[in-house]
């Protein structure tokens, strides 16, 4: 075509829509629409194809955003007071800029739609490419056990799984994020040719570009789009003990009783599977195992010992159960192969000639979610405190084309597979909230997706191996999961499959094996700074009393980690309010707080816990070797009698060894244990024994420390120690409410703000704001400045502003 002919070609007509524009370029309809001044939705689809579908993750509707539209030459621009987007009218690509004209990110080219057949119907695969800066670090993509923090040069099929949950969202160190709103398996690729998302089923390219100035701002935009995080009860932040599995109600109640006798704090206990009996009764949602012959007595015993219990429930049902029959009668069960494959629970490999008949249910249909909750009421009415929702991927073995084509009511299973955990977890949350608001919903679940943070759930990293390598991979995996807007995450402390440390199958010798002792303690110390601190696994009993007794290094290290967790509960609970009220995050990669320090961009071995604490867990063996036989979620159940464990000798765990710690630039850091000060922007060697985790406090921080307790609510917070770490001005708000129920949503809570003026050495305690039933009207604060002078002062406080000179 000549230049004359080209100039005479008809330019695409750009039309205004509410908060946006739409046009057609190269046969693709394109719309750009602001949802907030900082978030713009992009939708592209072939002209004439109806592609508008209700989002499962996004719950927000567009705000009334003031926009300006300008068309010039071969481009159309739309901008708010925070963000500008330019659409190339020649190829349909879009570039995004800040208000000063600086490029945020650009699409590499227009969309690509590849024709496919989905469940026998014509559809397309949808792909969009982007061009990132060469050294730009990106985070997110869910829980990927690839050991990477920055997810550059990654190729991954994003979908839910046992030990990985792929979520199509990235956050850049530059302060923007992209959420790709598609639920089919999606291939993410980042290499020298560009960065792209390609979904197996997608009638449209549909994504949200969020500009937040920093990572916190991006996550705030994501939470606005997909839902805010409800408050968890205070007790959920205490210590949790679990096992695969407690085999009787006497066994589980005895664990709680032993903790109380030993004086080792405990708040949560978990009953794993098979309380229902055999595999044909899989997930019956009632106690049919004769070893649990009086479940109400069990519940009452646990509660009388001031502990809480949650119980394992699954996304599948055995053929002899009531829920199976109800769901099957209405066509609400899938036919694909899931766990367990055999009806005989005691044999491995599975006896497939005795198939279990277990089938996963279809949570995409409201009626199925209703039936699920109706049957769950049997456990709820016993006084169960929460739910351990296992296999919420769900387990999906040998998936065939027919399995992926299964109808869900929202299209094929292939089309919506990624949203399975979102739908099934959301079903339980919504039904319990509708039933009562006297107790906050708490769900522990194995899989997560975008938006799931709104459903009161903590997502764990799945059935991981008990190896140092997996411990190291767990930290960046949880940090990247956090970056998808899901702040609540944890892992099986000690790893799940630990049989390689035993002398023979299930002899529990590993608790005396220094190889496992060292790994378990370091995992426990790292878990002290997770949103949930939960010891769990198979092959080895993890309860503290199996490791020895008080006064012995291993026992003491375990107890001290648990006690540290309880000391920090006022800080943790106040941080949880920041997560709920300010869209903050618990576990924070260093780039969130120190984006200018490139040395921290890919430090997957350290993280901030809240605003104040720098956690540098020891993730390598210092006293033993790391060699152990490995297992995974597929091979770990292969039980055999063997003696292939490492031969070990006595280990002196009291010997100090150096650990490398990087202190980010831009602030000073104070050793939590010694008070020693360090300037940031350098690496140091911290000498530690088995009892110590390297832990540093940012200067200008204020940290409240709680009382010595056996469970989270044992004592009121009427005598808190308030630690001030000088070197900069600081502020902290102590949050308090009734510690459970949803009255906080009605404004029934209080905050007390502490402000530190570093130059004047003055602490101002503000007027208390708000009130709630049972609130402390009068209390004492023990103020302590962490510096060589060791200044301290006791202050009586009755809710009125108080100035303390130190």
């Amino acid at each position: 075509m000549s230049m004359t002919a080209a100039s005479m070609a008809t330019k695409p007509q750009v039309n205004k829509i509410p908060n946006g524009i739409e046009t057609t370029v190269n046969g693709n309809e394109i719309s750009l629409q602001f949802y907030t001044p900082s978030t713009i939705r992009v939708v592209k689809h072939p002209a004439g194809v109806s592609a508008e579908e209700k989002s499962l993750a996004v719950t927000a509707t567009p705000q009334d955003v003031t926009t300006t539209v300008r068309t010039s030459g071969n481009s159309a621009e739309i901008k708010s007071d925070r963000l500008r987007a330019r659409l190339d009218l020649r190829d349909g690509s879009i570039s995004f800029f800040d208000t000063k004209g600086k490029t945020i990110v650009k699409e590499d080219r227009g969309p690509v739609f590849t024709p496919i057949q989905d469940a026998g119907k014509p559809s397309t695969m949808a792909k969009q490419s982007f061009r990132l800066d060469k050294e730009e670090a990106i985070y997110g993509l869910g829980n990927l056990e690839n050991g990477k923090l920055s997810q550059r040069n990654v190729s991954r099929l994003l979908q839910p799984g046992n030990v990985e949950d792929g979520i199509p969202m990235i956050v850049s160190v530059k302060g923007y994020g992209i959420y790709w709103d598609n639920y089919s398996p999606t291939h993410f690729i980042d290499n020298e040719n560009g960065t792209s998302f390609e979904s197996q089923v997608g009638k449209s390219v549909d994504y949200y570009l969020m500009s937040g100035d920093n990572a916190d701002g991006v996550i705030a935009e994501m939470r606005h789009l997909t839902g805010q995080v409800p408050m968890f009860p205070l007790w959920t932040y205490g210590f949790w003990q679990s096992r695969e599995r407690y085999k009787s109600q006497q066994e589980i109640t005895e664990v709680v009783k032993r903790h109380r006798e030993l004086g080792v704090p405990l708040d949560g206990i978990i009953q794993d599977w098979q309380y229902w009996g055999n595999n044909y009764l899989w997930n019956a949602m009632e106690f049919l195992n004769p070893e649990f012959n009086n479940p109400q007595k069990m519940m009452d015993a646990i509660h009388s010992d001031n502990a809480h219990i949650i119980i394992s429930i699954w996304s599948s049902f055995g053929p002899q159960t009531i829920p199976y029959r109800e769901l099957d009668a209405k066509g609400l069960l899938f036919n694909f192969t899931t766990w367990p494959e055999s009806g005989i629970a005691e044999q491995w490999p599975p006896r497939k000639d005795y198939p279990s008949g277990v089938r996963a249910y279809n949570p995409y249909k409201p009626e199925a979610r209703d039936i699920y909750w109706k049957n769950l009421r049997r456990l709820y009415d016993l006084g169960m405190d929460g739910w351990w929702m296992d296999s919420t991927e769900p387990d999906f073995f040998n998936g065939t084309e027919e399995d992926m084509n299964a109808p869900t009511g929202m299209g094929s299973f292939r089309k919506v597979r990624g949203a399975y955990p979102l739908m099934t977890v959301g079903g339980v949350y919504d039904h319990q909230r509708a039933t009562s608001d006297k107790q906050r919903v708490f769900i522990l679940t194995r899989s997560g997706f975008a938006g799931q943070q709104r459903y009161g759930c903590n997502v764990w990293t799945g059935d991981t191996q008990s190896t140092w390598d997996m411990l190291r991979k767990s930290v960046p995996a949880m940090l990247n999961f956090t970056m998808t807007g899901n702040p609540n995450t944890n892992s099986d402390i000690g790893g799940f499959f630990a049989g390689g440390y035993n002398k023979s199958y299930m002899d529990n010798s590993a608790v005396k094996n220094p190889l496992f002792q060292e790994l378990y303690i370091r995992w426990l110390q790292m878990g002290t700074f997770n949103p949930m601190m939960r010891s769990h696994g198979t092959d080895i009993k993890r309860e503290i009393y199996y490791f020895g007794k008080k006064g012995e290094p291993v026992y003491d290290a375990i107890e001290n980690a648990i006690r540290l967790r309880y000391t920090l509960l006022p800080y943790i609970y106040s941080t949880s309010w920041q997560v709920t009220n300010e869209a903050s995050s618990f576990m924070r990669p260093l780039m969130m707080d120190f984006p200018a320090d490139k040395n921290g961009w890919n430090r997957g071995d350290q993280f901030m816990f809240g605003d104040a604490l720098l956690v540098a867990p020891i993730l390598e063996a210092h006293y033993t070797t790391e060699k152990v036989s490995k297992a995974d979620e597929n091979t770990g159940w292969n039980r055999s009698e063997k003696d292939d464990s490492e031969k070990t000798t006595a280990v002196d765990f009291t010997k100090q060894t150096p650990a490398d710690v990087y202190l980010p630039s831009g602030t000073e850091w104070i050793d939590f244990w010694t008070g020693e000060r360090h300037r940031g922007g350098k690496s140091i060697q911290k000498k530690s024994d088995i009892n110590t985790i390297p832990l540093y406090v940012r200067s200008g921080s204020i940290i409240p420390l709680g009382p010595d307790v056996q469970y989270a609510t044992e004592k009121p917070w009427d005598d808190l120690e308030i630690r001030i770490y000088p070197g900069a001005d600081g502020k902290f708000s102590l949050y308090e409410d009734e510690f459970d129920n949803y009255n906080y949503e009605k404004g029934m809570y209080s905050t007390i703000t502490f402000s530190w003026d570093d130059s004047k050495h003055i602490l101002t305690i503000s007027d208390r704001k708000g009130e709630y039933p049972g609130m402390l009207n009068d209390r004492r604060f023990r103020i302590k400045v962490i510096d060589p002078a060791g200044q301290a002062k006791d202050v009586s406080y009755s809710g009125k502003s108080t100035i303390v000179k130190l």
Side-chain angles (χ1 to χ4, degrees):
M1 182 182 292
S2 68
M3 290 299 295
T4 304
S7 63
M8 295 175 61
T10 303
K11 290 182 180 179
Q13 181 176 346
V14 179
N15 300 314
K16 290 185 179 181
I17 59 174
N19 288 358
I21 56 175
E22 63 179 10
T23 188
T24 300
V25 179
N26 292 342
N28 294 314
E29 295 182 17
I30 301 174
S31 67
L32 292 78
Q33 185 179 34
F34 278 95
Y35 266 55
T36 74
S38 298
T39 295
I40 188 166
R41 181 188 183 190
V42 174
V43 179
K44 306 178 182 183
H45 60 87
V49 174
S50 177
E52 185 65 29
E53 297 186 46
K54 179 177 173 57
S55 176
L56 301 179
V58 176
T59 57
T61 55
Q63 297 177 351
D64 186 10
V65 179
T66 300
T67 61
T68 302
V69 176
R70 183 173 66 92
T71 302
S72 176
N74 292 313
S75 66
E77 286 192 357
I78 182 169
K79 66 177 181 178
S80 69
D81 61 357
R82 299 294 305 278
L83 178 64
R84 179 159 60 97
R86 179 188 299 157
L87 171 64
D88 191 315
L89 298 175
R90 295 167 296 183
D91 64 3
S93 65
I94 303 170
S95 302
F96 301 91
F97 308 89
D98 64 18
T99 53
K100 296 180 180 179
K102 184 178 180 180
T103 302
I104 296 174
V105 68
K106 294 182 177 182
E107 293 181 349
D108 199 29
R109 57 186 68 88
V112 177
F113 296 102
T114 304
I116 61 164
Q117 290 287 312
D118 179 37
K121 297 180 180 179
S123 188
T124 54
M125 299 173 63
K127 179 179 181 180
Q128 180 64 62
S129 299
F130 301 86
R131 181 63 63 180
L132 275 57
D133 294 346
K134 184 178 180 180
E135 296 185 356
E136 182 178 347
I138 57 172
Y139 309 86
L141 299 181
N143 155 37
L144 302 184
E145 302 290 347
N146 59 9
K148 294 171 63 70
L149 183 59
S150 174
Q151 297 296 307
R152 295 305 301 267
N153 300 308
V154 164
S155 174
R156 214 65 161 199
L157 185 65
L158 305 177
Q159 59 185 352
N162 183 322
V163 296
E164 285 200 347
D165 291 315
I167 300 175
M169 179 183 172
I170 58 173
V171 177
S172 169
V173 72
K174 291 173 61 177
Y176 73 87
I178 297 171
Y179 168 54
W180 180 266
D181 196 17
N182 187 292
Y183 313 103
S184 70
T186 295
H187 200 181
F188 174 83
I189 299 176
D190 177 76
N191 56 33
E192 65 277 4
N193 297 319
T195 306
S196 63
F197 293 93
E198 183 174 30
S199 294
Q200 290 184 359
V201 182
K203 291 184 177 180
S204 66
V205 163
D206 190 345
Y207 71 87
Y208 295 80
L209 187 288
M210 298 163 284
S211 175
D213 296 331
N214 54 40
D216 277 306
V218 174
I219 288 174
E221 291 294 307
M222 184 64 176
R223 300 257 184 88
H224 172 79
L225 285 175
T226 62
Q228 301 298 335
V229 180
M231 288 287 288
F232 287 174
L234 176 64
W235 56 265
T236 67
Y237 296 112
F239 177 64
W240 289 78
Q241 187 62 63
S242 181
R243 188 194 301 170
E244 187 288 303
R245 57 190 158 86
Y246 297 117
K247 297 181 179 180
S248 70
Q249 64 185 63
Q250 180 179 355
E251 192 172 47
I252 191 172
T253 55
E254 183 65 23
V255 173
V256 179
K257 190 172 299 293
R258 286 291 302 274
H259 266 263
R260 295 294 177 248
E261 291 170 353
L262 291 169
V264 178
L266 175 75
D267 264 275
I269 193 85
I270 306 177
Q271 179 57 50
D272 206 338
W273 60 1
Q274 295 184 7
Y275 61 88
W276 50 70
N278 63 58
N279 285 358
Y280 299 111
L281 294 170
W282 188 266
N283 195 34
M285 293 179 169
E286 55 183 314
F287 292 91
L288 302 175
N289 185 330
E291 295 299 322
F292 296 86
N293 61 351
N294 192 337
Q296 191 63 67
K297 181 180 178 181
M298 176 188 73
M299 298 292 298
D300 293 344
I302 291 170
H303 289 153
S304 67
D305 277 331
N306 298 296
H308 293 79
I309 176 174
I310 68 175
I311 196 164
S312 173
I313 55 175
W314 288 62
S315 300
S316 53
F317 297 94
Q320 294 180 357
T321 64
I322 294 172
Y324 181 103
R325 296 197 295 270
E326 288 190 64
L327 291 161
D328 188 38
K330 296 179 179 294
L332 297 172
L333 294 172
F334 291 117
N335 288 318
F336 54 73
T337 304
T338 191
W339 179 275
E341 296 181 82
S342 173
I344 303 173
E346 297 78 15
Q347 294 187 17
W348 191 270
R351 284 289 302 271
K352 295 184 181 180
D353 52 341
Y354 286 88
S356 69
V358 173
R359 295 164 66 188
Y361 91 112
N362 178 4
Y364 302 99
K365 289 194 174 183
E367 186 179 17
R369 300 195 296 271
D370 292 343
I371 293 172
Y372 194 95
W373 174 254
K374 184 183 76 170
N375 285 276
L376 191 54
R377 281 296 300 260
R378 287 191 290 273
L379 296 174
Y380 178 78
D381 290 343
L382 285 172
M384 200 62 65
D385 298 301
W387 315 109
W388 186 1
M389 298 188 69
D390 211 334
S391 187
T392 44
E393 305 86 46
D395 279 311
F396 185 68
F397 301 149
N398 307 317
T400 64
E401 188 74 7
E402 182 180 3
D403 293 337
M404 295 297 282
N405 287 338
T408 65
M410 294 182 175
S412 69
F413 184 62
R414 177 188 298 102
K415 180 183 176 184
V416 292
R417 183 182 177 190
Y420 193 101
L422 179 70
M423 302 304 291
T424 189
V425 170
V428 172
Y429 176 86
D430 287 340
H431 278 91
Q432 186 172 333
R433 283 299 312 258
T435 301
S436 173
D437 63 358
K438 294 182 179 179
Q439 187 176 32
R440 295 175 194 167
V441 180
F442 179 70
I443 297 170
L444 171 65
T445 186
R446 196 167 76 184
S447 287
F449 195 74
Q452 205 164 310
Q453 74 279 349
R454 65 181 182 252
Y455 289 138
C457 67
N458 191 307
V459 180
W460 97 92
T461 57
D463 298 339
T464 56
Q465 306 169 42
S466 295
T467 64
W468 288 93
D469 180 62
M470 186 55 68
L471 171 58
R472 287 189 283 270
K473 288 177 178 177
S474 294
V475 177
M478 289 188 285
L479 293 173
N480 275 308
F481 187 77
T482 294
M483 298 300 282
T484 66
N486 286 277
N488 290 300
T489 180
N490 72 106
S491 66
D492 291 344
I493 289 176
F496 186 70
F497 292 110
Y501 297 92
N502 282 328
K503 291 182 178 178
S504 63
Y505 163 58
M506 289 296 283
D507 70 354
N508 210 48
S509 61
V511 295
K512 301 300 183 182
N513 183 343
L515 276 74
F516 183 72
Q517 290 174 336
E518 184 180 7
L519 174 64
Y520 180 72
I521 290 169
R522 295 311 191 193
W523 210 314
L524 186 74
Q525 291 169 345
M526 186 275 291
T528 302
F529 299 94
N530 296 168
M532 185 180 188
M533 185 184 186
R534 180 184 59 92
S535 171
H536 178 71
T538 190
D539 305 317
I540 300 171
K541 297 176 181 178
R542 315 290 173 94
E543 289 79 13
I544 184 173
Y545 39 84
Y546 290 111
F547 287 88
K549 59 185 179 181
K550 198 172 184 67
E552 297 175 350
V554 171
Y555 183 102
D556 289 351
I558 294 171
E559 180 179 9
N560 289 338
I562 295 171
R563 289 192 178 280
L564 175 60
R565 176 73 171 197
Y566 281 82
T567 297
L568 292 171
L569 280 182
Y571 173 80
I572 293 171
Y573 198 64
S574 296
T575 299
S576 76
W577 174 243
Q578 293 176 10
V579 170
T580 294
N581 190 53
E582 301 173 19
S584 188
S585 300
F586 287 104
M587 296 180 68
R588 306 168 60 82
L590 299 186
M591 56 77 63
M592 291 189 75
D593 296 279
F594 309 99
D597 187 346
K598 291 185 177 181
N599 292 321
W601 284 6
N602 206 27
R603 290 296 302 233
D605 57 346
Q606 299 181 190
F607 56 92
M608 295 294 293
F609 186 64
D611 293 332
L613 295 173
L614 173 66
V615 184
I618 294 175
L619 305 177
E620 295 179 343
H622 283 197
Y623 300 96
T624 63
T625 69
E626 296 191 3
K627 184 179 180 182
V628 69
S629 57
K630 295 183 178 181
D632 59 27
E633 69 275 19
N634 297 313
T635 64
W637 297 105
N638 191 4
R639 315 300 198 185
S640 62
E641 292 293 338
K642 59 184 183 299
D643 187 1
D644 61 357
S645 59
E646 284 288 300
K647 305 303 180 184
T648 57
T649 57
V651 173
D652 180 8
F653 283 127
T654 65
K655 180 181 177 181
Q656 288 197 333
T657 63
D660 178 69
V661 179
Y662 179 71
L663 302 175
S665 62
T667 185
E668 284 190 314
W669 297 95
I670 300 96
D671 189 312
F672 181 84
W673 306 109
T674 67
E676 183 181 1
R677 301 184 72 88
H678 303 270
R679 62 178 178 84
K682 65 177 183 177
S683 292
I684 63 169
Q685 294 287 309
K686 168 66 177 177
K687 287 189 175 181
S688 302
D689 59 18
I690 196 65
N691 200 36
T692 306
I693 179 174
L695 185 62
Y696 294 83
V697 186
R698 179 167 25 184
S699 63
S701 296
I702 301 172
I703 299 179
L705 302 183
D708 180 17
V709 293
Q710 294 301 297
Y711 55 93
T713 57
E714 182 187 15
K715 298 175 184 177
W717 291 351
D718 58 353
D719 188 24
L720 297 182
E721 179 180 315
I722 308 298
R723 287 192 177 183
I724 300 168
Y725 292 83
D729 293 344
K731 183 177 289 187
F732 182 86
S733 289
L734 178 68
Y735 172 87
E736 296 169 294
D737 59 18
E738 296 170 84
F739 297 141
D740 209 336
N741 74 45
Y742 288 97
N743 285 340
Y744 76 89
E745 294 181 343
K746 305 170 186 176
M748 297 182 187
Y749 63 86
S750 74
T751 57
I752 301 170
T753 299
F754 298 82
S755 301
W756 172 250
D757 187 319
D758 195 62
S759 62
K760 299 179 180 178
H761 263 229
I762 289 177
L763 178 70
T764 301
I765 308 175
S766 72
D767 288 339
R768 181 177 53 230
K769 295 183 179 179
E771 59 183 4
Y772 60 91
M775 181 180 70
L776 288 169
N777 291 310
D778 302 295
R779 66 205 304 171
R780 182 178 68 160
F781 292 125
R782 290 175 287 118
I783 314 299
K784 185 176 182 179
V785 180
I786 308 302
D787 63 11
Q791 304 168 72
K793 183 175 290 189
D794 288 355
V795 176
S796 296
Y797 179 77
S798 299
K800 297 298 182 182
S801 180
T802 304
I803 296 176
V804 184
K805 175 68 176 177
L806 292 156

